[in-house]
Amino acid sequence: MESLMTIMAAFGLAAGAGAKAFIPVLALGAFSYTPYFELSQRFAWIADPAVMTILGVLVIVEIVVDAHPDLGRFSDVVAYLPKVVAGVLGFAAVTGTLDDSLVQLGASGVLGGGTAAGVHWLRNQVRRPFRDLAEDTHETAGKLASFGEAGASATLAGTALVAPPLSALLLVGFVAVSVVTVRAVDARRVPCGQCGEPIIPGALVCPHCKAEFT
């Protein structure tokens, strides 16, 4: 039972990294000062105040960048790397498998990094149409979306360390809602008047040919 709880906690942290890369790692350091979680010796550096300060700054930078439509579109792509690294780190820190063996290191990389990358990919499928439809015209929409993702990441990370089964349920719920949203958005797409590729109704710019609409 303990190993199952550990696995669920590891997946919860990795999934949280897929939403916002640095929040789950910061949560590892913060929760190590509570009775709920204890970092192993090899990961004790995460709880160092200097490291946590840097992570806190990175969290703010990630939220601000993602809230801006143009910067956010760029980060949708480049954010894969930090999120995969954070997913691997979170998964390994909970399971304690980093450096134990090449097989276990590989498992942490595939499961943790793969989960973070998968969540980030699914998040992109939901967020990109939202950028085209709302964030380009309403600055507040991007801020709300970015803070919402930060809240989801913090919730997944926090519940993973305190109540892993709840984190697993929340992850399934988030994935289900995202899949339903993506399908609903795809079903409403219309052909672009310039290139004919499917786009969101009311989009200001075609993501394929870059044609602008009024």
Side-chain angles (χ1 to χ4, degrees), residues 5 32 37 49 57 76 84 111-112 114 124 148 155 163 211-212:
M5 291 291 185
S32 68
F37 181 74
V57 172
D76 287 347
V84 167
L111 296 176
N124 282 349
T155 300
E212 296 184 359

Side-chain angles (χ1 to χ4, degrees), residues 86-103:
V88 173
L89 183 59
F91 199 97
V94 172
T95 59
T97 56
L98 191 64
D99 294 334
D100 284 355
S101 72
L102 289 178
V103 174

Side-chain angles (χ1 to χ4, degrees), residues 5 7-16 152-175:
M5 291 291 185
I7 293 298
M8 286 191 292
F11 275 112
L13 280 170
S153 177
T155 300
L156 283 171
T159 54
L161 296 172
V162 177
L166 177 57
S167 180
L169 290 175
L170 289 173
L171 174 57
V172 172
F174 286 148
V175 171

Side-chain angles (χ1 to χ4, degrees), residues 60-84:
I60 296 173
V61 170
E62 186 177 16
I63 292 174
V64 171
V65 168
D66 191 54
H68 191 281
D70 293 333
L71 294 176
R73 288 187 176 90
F74 176 73
S75 70
D76 287 347
V77 178
V78 301
Y80 272 105
L81 179 58
K83 289 186 176 183
V84 167

Side-chain angles (χ1 to χ4, degrees), residues 6 9 13 24 27-40 43 46 90 92-96 160-162:
T6 299
L13 280 170
L28 282 171
F31 273 83
S32 68
Y33 290 98
T34 72
Y36 296 104
F37 181 74
E38 182 179 357
L39 285 167
S40 63
F43 294 103
I46 296 177
V94 172
T95 59
L161 296 172
V162 177

Side-chain angles (χ1 to χ4, degrees), residues 48-205:
D48 184 275
V51 173
M52 292 183 65
T53 300
I54 294 173
L55 289 171
V57 172
L58 291 175
V59 167
I60 296 173
V61 170
E62 186 177 16
I63 292 174
V64 171
V65 168
D66 191 54
H68 191 281
D70 293 333
L71 294 176
R73 288 187 176 90
F74 176 73
S75 70
D76 287 347
V77 178
V78 301
Y80 272 105
L81 179 58
K83 289 186 176 183
V84 167
V85 172
V88 173
L89 183 59
F91 199 97
V94 172
T95 59
T97 56
L98 191 64
D99 294 334
D100 284 355
S101 72
L102 289 178
V103 174
Q104 291 177 329
L105 176 59
S108 292
V110 171
L111 296 176
T115 298
V119 169
H120 181 63
W121 178 85
L122 189 58
R123 168 259 185 207
N124 282 349
Q125 306 313 303
V126 176
R127 188 70 185 275
R128 284 171 179 167
F130 185 72
R131 290 193 198 281
D132 296 334
L133 191 61
E135 295 183 35
D136 284 330
T137 55
H138 302 285
E139 182 179 350
T140 304
K143 295 179 180 178
L144 291 175
S146 188
F147 277 108
E149 290 174 1
S153 177
T155 300
L156 283 171
T159 54
L161 296 172
V162 177
L166 177 57
S167 180
L169 290 175
L170 289 173
L171 174 57
V172 172
F174 286 148
V175 171
V177 170
S178 298
V179 170
V180 171
T181 302
V182 169
R183 289 184 176 180
V185 168
D186 287 340
R188 295 181 63 248
R189 292 181 186 273
V190 297
C192 170
Q194 297 293 325
C195 66
E197 292 292 333
I199 61 175
I200 302 298
L204 298 178
V205 179

